[in-house]
């Protein structure tokens, strides 16, 4: 049973890492990208807000 829990955690971390990469590429500073990557914030909305000119700090406040 511990193997399953380990696998799930690894999968979550892999997804969070991918989300982090996408958010940084979109223009979020690392500290905000890390918070968003590990949250349940909508990734597509996060990227779209910044692309539409919303400040990354304001976008993070909206999403978190």
């Amino acid at each position: 049973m511990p193997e399953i829990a380990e696998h799930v955690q690894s999968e979550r971390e892999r997804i969070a890492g991918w989300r982090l990469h996408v958010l940084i590429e979109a223009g979020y500073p690392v500290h905000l990208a890390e918070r968003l990557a590990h949250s349940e914030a909508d990734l597509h909305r996060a990227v779209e807000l910044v692309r539409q000119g919303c400040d990354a700090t304001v976008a993070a406040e909206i999403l978190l």
Side-chain angles (χ1 to χ4, degrees), residues 9-40:
Q9 184 64 25
S10 296
E11 182 70 9
R12 284 184 184 154
E13 287 302 314
R14 187 182 69 77
I15 291 168
W18 170 75
R19 286 171 54 93
L20 178 64
H21 174 77
V22 170
L23 291 161
I24 290 171
E25 288 289 315
Y28 283 87
V30 173
H31 71 282
L32 290 177
E34 286 176 338
R35 285 185 57 207
L36 286 166
H38 290 279
S39 75
E40 294 192 24

